[in-house]
Amino acid sequence: MTSTTTKIAGRPDRYSTGSVLLHWLIAPLVLVQILLVSAADATEGPQAGEYMGLHKAIGLSILVLTLVRIGWRLAHPVAPLPAVIPAWQRWAARIVHFLFYAILIGMPLGGWAASSAGGRDIDWFGLFNWPLLPLPLDRELAGTFMDMHEAGAKLLYVLIGLHILGALKHAFTDGDNTLRRILPFLPPKP
């Protein structure tokens, strides 16, 4: 059995069903993260704390889902991009995807490290306290991790913009099937 048999509707030019599901699970969670931080910044007191608590729980969930996605991708290689796509665009796509994985791992780790160094518990959706990393209690260290976390957020915004612009370019300017590789409900263009 080849990896092409796991592609959507048996089509080797699409991402596998698992890749599509993980993409469309992680992407909205990332957007929710942005909204939660904005809501926390716009409020004060316990309400802001609740938003940030949810932000932490979702962030750690994104970390786990991203690790699953990487494992899935290693077991189910991505179908090659169409031959008509120029080499520089293939290269750019690989870099953006790599940076997405790095950010989706690095940001939650940075937030986890900041909470751990700050001695702040992480409540995972009211089910249990996520274990803190074995770091010294050090507010300055926590601040350093938080600065790195916030710098990662800025890079994430740039990556999201590039990713969306690239998808729209392929869909509307180039008119190719690149965007349809990850959208399970759109048939390929002839």
Side-chain angles (χ1 to χ4, degrees):
M1 183 160 120
T2 66
S3 65
T4 58
T5 59
T6 62
K7 304 296 181 206
I8 295 174
R11 296 207 22 245
D13 61 336
R14 304 283 298 248
Y15 280 90
S16 67
T17 302
S19 293
V20 171
L21 289 173
L22 287 164
H23 177 275
W24 291 112
L25 182 57
I26 294 169
L29 288 176
V30 169
L31 296 178
V32 166
Q33 290 292 76
I34 294 167
L35 295 173
L36 285 169
V37 169
S38 297
D41 288 345
T43 59
E44 295 178 8
Q47 187 67 44
E50 288 178 30
Y51 289 140
M52 289 312 296
L54 191 54
H55 175 80
K56 291 177 185 183
I58 292 172
L60 289 168
S61 300
I62 289 171
L63 171 63
V64 170
L65 289 169
T66 300
L67 293 173
V68 168
R69 184 160 183 202
I70 290 170
W72 183 268
R73 184 169 178 158
L74 291 172
H76 303 85
V78 176
L81 289 168
V84 296
I85 295 178
W88 74 268
Q89 288 181 23
R90 293 170 189 269
W91 179 80
R94 279 193 286 273
I95 289 173
V96 168
H97 279 106
F98 174 81
L99 289 174
F100 262 126
Y101 288 128
I103 287 291
L104 294 176
I105 291 171
M107 283 187 67
L109 284 176
W112 186 8
S115 289
S116 298
R120 293 182 302 271
D121 287 335
I122 302 171
D123 178 14
W124 197 76
F125 301 110
L127 298 175
F128 61 88
N129 278 343
W130 192 274
L132 297 179
L133 295 169
L135 294 171
L137 290 177
D138 182 336
R139 291 184 70 149
E140 188 174 318
L141 180 62
T144 299
F145 283 125
M146 213 52 227
D147 290 344
M148 292 166 54
H149 185 76
E150 291 170 1
K154 291 174 184 170
L155 177 57
L156 180 63
Y157 298 151
V158 171
L159 292 174
I160 290 170
L162 289 172
H163 192 62
I164 291 171
L165 287 173
L168 293 174
K169 175 196 172 294
H170 282 288
F172 298 111
T173 302
D174 300 343
D176 61 30
N177 280 318
T178 302
L179 178 60
R180 294 166 183 266
R181 292 162 39 102
I182 197 73
L183 293 172
F185 52 85
L186 288 180
K189 290 182 179 181

